[in-house]
Amino acid sequence: MARRVSFSQLRSKLRQAQAKQKQAIDRYNREARAHNQKVKSAVAKYNQAVNQYNSQVRTHNSRVRANRNRLRHEIEKLVRASSKPVYTTLRTSAENVHRTYVQLESDAETSQYDSRFNKVLDLSEREAANNASVMNAMLGNPESVDGHESIQSTALDPILQLIGTDLSERWHGALFSLNPRNPDAARHFCTSARELLSSILDSRAPDLLVLAEMPACEKMPNGSPTRRSKIRFFLQRSNMAERALEDFVEEDMKNVLQLFREFNDGTHGSAGRFSLDQLLAIKRRVEHAIEFLWSIIPDDLRNPRRPIAH
């Protein structure tokens, strides 16, 4: 027999059912709003990432175009000045840098190097352009100088602080002395720049560590690893061991050292001095070469807070 339900009981059950329905609808609406908010946030993050990527691509493409246009322009100037029988050793070195860069660029296009190489390849193109630019400057046809660029300003401070404050102070002192009226500028600048390059190689690629990892590497007569061996050591530790890149880095470092010899021999100009534009080209060449060398060093060897295992 069916249970009799009073009118008040029916109204109570109806209210309960309506309350449950409202709770379910409210819960659904909350969940729907939360879901829609998550979707909206995800879409916003995706669009932000896409926009950031596109911005980086545009910036990269713009920089690559600028580097290539600059490289082409400087090479054309260098070809026009090829008849000048001066700085023959430096010119040969500059030609070797350009030759190895062309090979590196060809290998990068055909071998499809992965993203690990992106920054280094960008800097390689800048190095090739700087190489031609400083050669033109030495021949008396320097690149137009940015009016805001100063001899004393430097982009190396983040690197210098990791290597050592003493070297940082010496480098700033060398830049301070680098002016057209200072006859001792070449010696001071070249000495500090050589020390900086040597400090990077010796502190970040200690002989014992290089010999332990590469016992069959090329060595100097005293048994220490050569500069090329230390470059190969950096590239192997950075998972960028490619012969074309190794060749380019080696020729780039040789070119900078040859530039020091030419700069320091005291025979340039009518009074043994360089113009401001030439000094800026030399300073830029050295600073960018140091940044380029630093770029191939893996993070575990850059950071002084992490002891370098021997």
Side-chain angles (χ1 to χ4, degrees):
M1 181 175 179
R3 180 183 175 188
R4 293 186 63 185
V5 178
S6 68
F7 180 71
S8 61
Q9 289 176 326
L10 180 61
R11 281 196 306 175
S12 175
K13 289 184 179 291
L14 182 59
R15 284 195 298 269
Q16 290 175 7
Q18 289 174 337
K20 288 182 179 180
Q21 182 184 42
K22 186 176 182 303
Q23 289 174 356
I25 292 173
D26 289 345
R27 183 170 58 251
Y28 172 82
N29 288 335
R30 284 196 303 271
E31 292 175 352
R33 284 195 296 270
H35 173 74
N36 291 337
Q37 185 60 42
K38 288 180 180 179
V39 170
K40 184 178 179 180
S41 298
V43 170
K45 288 182 180 179
Y46 173 79
N47 289 335
Q48 183 181 18
V50 169
N51 291 336
Q52 184 177 7
Y53 173 78
N54 289 337
S55 175
Q56 291 173 346
V57 168
R58 286 192 295 270
T59 302
H60 173 264
N61 290 340
S62 175
R63 185 173 64 250
V64 167
R65 285 194 298 271
N67 281 337
R68 290 185 177 176
N69 289 337
R70 178 171 170 244
L71 175 57
R72 188 182 306 110
H73 176 65
E74 294 296 335
I75 290 296
E76 288 172 355
K77 285 199 303 183
L78 196 54
V79 169
R80 289 195 296 270
S82 60
S83 60
K84 295 183 179 180
V86 292
Y87 300 121
T88 54
T89 305
L90 182 60
R91 186 193 297 273
T92 299
S93 176
E95 291 171 352
N96 288 337
V97 172
H98 184 65
R99 173 182 54 79
T100 53
Y101 170 72
V102 170
Q103 184 60 56
L104 174 61
E105 184 182 41
S106 175
D107 283 12
E109 291 178 352
T110 57
S111 302
Q112 297 182 343
Y113 294 165
D114 63 33
S115 59
R116 290 170 299 175
F117 291 81
N118 288 347
K119 181 179 179 181
V120 172
L121 292 173
D122 281 354
L123 294 179
S124 298
E125 193 158 39
R126 187 181 72 175
E127 285 298 283
N130 284 342
N131 163 60
S133 177
V134 80
M135 188 69 239
N136 283 318
M138 298 287 283
L139 294 172
N141 190 15
E143 189 176 7
S144 298
V145 177
D146 183 350
H148 299 290
E149 185 173 0
S150 166
I151 285 286
Q152 281 77 47
S153 65
T154 179
L156 295 182
D157 282 329
I159 296 174
L160 297 174
Q161 292 302 320
L162 289 175
I163 298 173
T165 56
D166 178 65
L167 202 61
S168 173
E169 292 170 359
R170 294 198 61 177
W171 176 249
H172 279 271
L175 294 179
F176 183 78
S177 71
L178 197 62
N179 68 72
R181 296 183 299 276
N182 183 4
D184 197 38
R187 182 195 62 79
H188 193 173
F189 179 81
C190 293
T191 299
S192 296
R194 281 197 193 95
E195 287 185 358
L196 182 49
L197 285 169
S198 296
S199 294
I200 292 175
L201 288 169
D202 293 342
S203 66
R204 269 49 189 179
D207 290 351
L208 293 178
L209 182 56
V210 176
L211 292 172
E213 293 198 10
M214 300 166 43
C217 68
E218 296 95 331
K219 303 178 184 65
M220 295 186 292
N222 65 0
S224 299
T226 63
R227 180 180 59 244
R228 177 182 278 272
S229 294
K230 295 195 173 191
I231 290 170
R232 185 180 304 142
F233 168 77
F234 289 145
L235 294 176
Q236 288 184 357
R237 292 277 292 241
S238 299
N239 294 316
M240 294 190 297
E242 294 288 343
R243 181 57 184 265
L245 180 56
E246 179 185 319
D247 288 344
F248 178 77
V249 180
E250 170 65 8
E251 290 299 333
D252 195 54
M253 294 300 107
K254 284 169 62 176
N255 177 259
V256 172
L257 294 175
Q258 182 59 42
L259 175 62
F260 293 158
R261 286 188 281 272
E262 297 287 3
F263 181 36
N264 204 22
D265 70 0
T267 62
H268 39 76
S270 59
R273 295 175 182 171
F274 280 97
S275 69
L276 177 62
D277 287 354
Q278 289 173 319
L279 292 176
L280 280 170
I282 292 168
K283 172 222 173 191
R284 189 186 305 119
R285 175 74 178 102
V286 173
E287 283 196 322
H288 287 176
I290 291 170
E291 288 179 333
F292 178 58
L293 177 61
W294 191 255
S295 74
I296 70 172
I297 301 176
D299 289 340
D300 65 325
L301 296 180
R302 287 186 191 181
N303 194 336
R305 291 173 296 180
R306 302 174 184 173
I308 299 176
H310 287 68

